[in-house]
Amino acid sequence: MHFFGEISFAAGAFMVVAALCAGFVDAIAGGGGLVQLPALLIGLPESATVQVLGTNKLSSFFGTSAAAIMYRRRVKPDLAFTLTMALPAFFGSMSGAFLAAQIPTHSLRPLVLILLIAVVIYTWRNPTLGKIEVLRHTPRRRTAIAILAGAGIGFYDGIFGPGTGTFLMLVLVALLGFAFLTASSIAKVVNVSTNLGAIVVFGLHGVILWRLGLVLALANVLGGLLGAHIAIRGGSPLVRRVFLLVTVVLILKVGMDTIAYW
């Protein structure tokens, strides 16, 4: 029995369950790629890596969009500020995706690993971080930080990806003073933008497995809606705990990948 073409039913079911779990985790604190991308690499062993990346972005786009809409209904951060960060993130992601096949991304792993460790230490040593919203800087400076961070993190997501949600949350919470729950709401919209930018590029290059990606998207949406519902009920303390857990797991994953390569 086959799922699509040469994909067995067992492999297809495995990827669907992974997409559901990825949507759930990603909606709370980011990091869904930790679950979904490895599952696609396992389930699609004959596919080119760029096809896996493109299909992963398609599925994630729908799941993150569903979570963003649900957050927006309950948590209402400033829309103008959110779009100010999301728009440069879109173009940054397109730029990164264009260069993804030309730059050796393995060279980024040690730097990403160091940054993620710093994020965990900083968050752990500041237990009140993100519990309440105390915005920092003047509105003009917040806008400037949002534009620069959106473009930079968007570029990173297009060219490499792991830890995108983590870095968005860190900027919003530590640099700008948003509470974790509000930051998660903003980050979802920005992440939708980065996913869309990458999809445009991958789609133009014809490397997305559309039928599979849309099936996985449905599972990702269901997981995203459930995760967003739980995050809204649990508030910033829950988001902070999941954020720390996901970042630690991400450190282990990037660390093992770095060791395996070198």
Side-chain angles (χ1 to χ4, degrees):
M1 185 180 296
H2 288 80
F3 193 74
F4 282 131
E6 299 301 316
I7 303 173
S8 69
F9 181 80
F14 168 70
M15 289 186 286
V16 166
V17 172
L20 178 71
C21 295
F24 176 80
V25 172
D26 199 63
I28 299 176
L34 282 171
V35 180
Q36 184 164 290
L37 188 55
L40 292 182
L41 290 169
I42 294 170
L44 302 170
E46 303 300 322
S47 297
T49 301
V50 68
Q51 287 183 306
V52 174
L53 292 174
T55 305
N56 177 64
K57 287 296 183 186
L58 176 63
S59 173
S60 299
F61 168 76
F62 284 96
T64 307
S65 296
I69 292 171
M70 190 166 185
Y71 270 110
R72 185 69 194 170
R73 289 176 178 172
R74 300 289 297 275
V75 184
K76 299 185 182 298
D78 183 79
L79 182 59
F81 173 86
T82 302
L83 295 179
T84 296
M85 194 173 194
L87 188 60
F90 171 80
F91 291 108
S93 180
M94 287 186 68
S95 301
F98 271 120
L99 295 175
Q102 303 174 38
I103 295 178
T105 55
H106 60 78
S107 61
L108 297 174
R109 290 189 184 122
L111 176 60
V112 172
L113 182 61
I114 293 171
L115 290 174
L116 289 172
I117 292 173
V119 168
V120 165
I121 293 174
Y122 181 80
T123 306
W124 182 264
R125 288 175 61 86
N126 293 272
T128 61
L129 183 70
K131 284 191 173 182
I132 58 173
E133 188 163 293
V134 183
L135 295 182
R136 301 184 178 91
H137 312 295
T138 63
R140 179 176 293 181
R141 180 169 292 184
R142 281 200 300 272
T143 298
I145 293 173
I147 292 172
L148 292 174
I153 296 174
F155 179 83
Y156 169 78
D157 191 32
I159 199 170
F160 191 48
T164 296
T166 299
F167 296 136
L168 284 172
M169 294 283 282
L170 181 69
V171 168
L172 291 165
V173 174
L175 287 184
L176 298 178
F178 287 98
F180 266 106
L181 187 61
T182 306
S184 189
S185 178
I186 297 171
K188 291 295 161 288
V189 176
V190 178
N191 215 176
V192 167
S193 183
T194 63
N195 284 336
L196 182 59
I199 287 171
V200 170
V201 175
F202 287 131
L204 289 174
H205 285 80
V207 298
I208 297 176
L209 303 176
W210 289 97
R211 288 194 299 167
L212 174 62
L214 291 173
V215 170
L216 297 180
L218 178 59
N220 208 272
V221 166
L222 294 175
L225 290 174
L226 179 60
H229 175 72
I230 290 176
I232 291 168
R233 291 191 61 182
S236 290
L238 173 64
V239 176
R240 180 182 187 274
R241 289 195 294 270
V242 177
F243 173 79
L244 279 169
L245 176 61
V246 168
T247 307
V248 168
V249 174
L250 186 57
I251 287 171
L252 295 175
K253 175 67 170 61
V254 175
M256 289 188 293
D257 288 347
T258 303
I259 292 171
Y261 180 83
W262 295 105

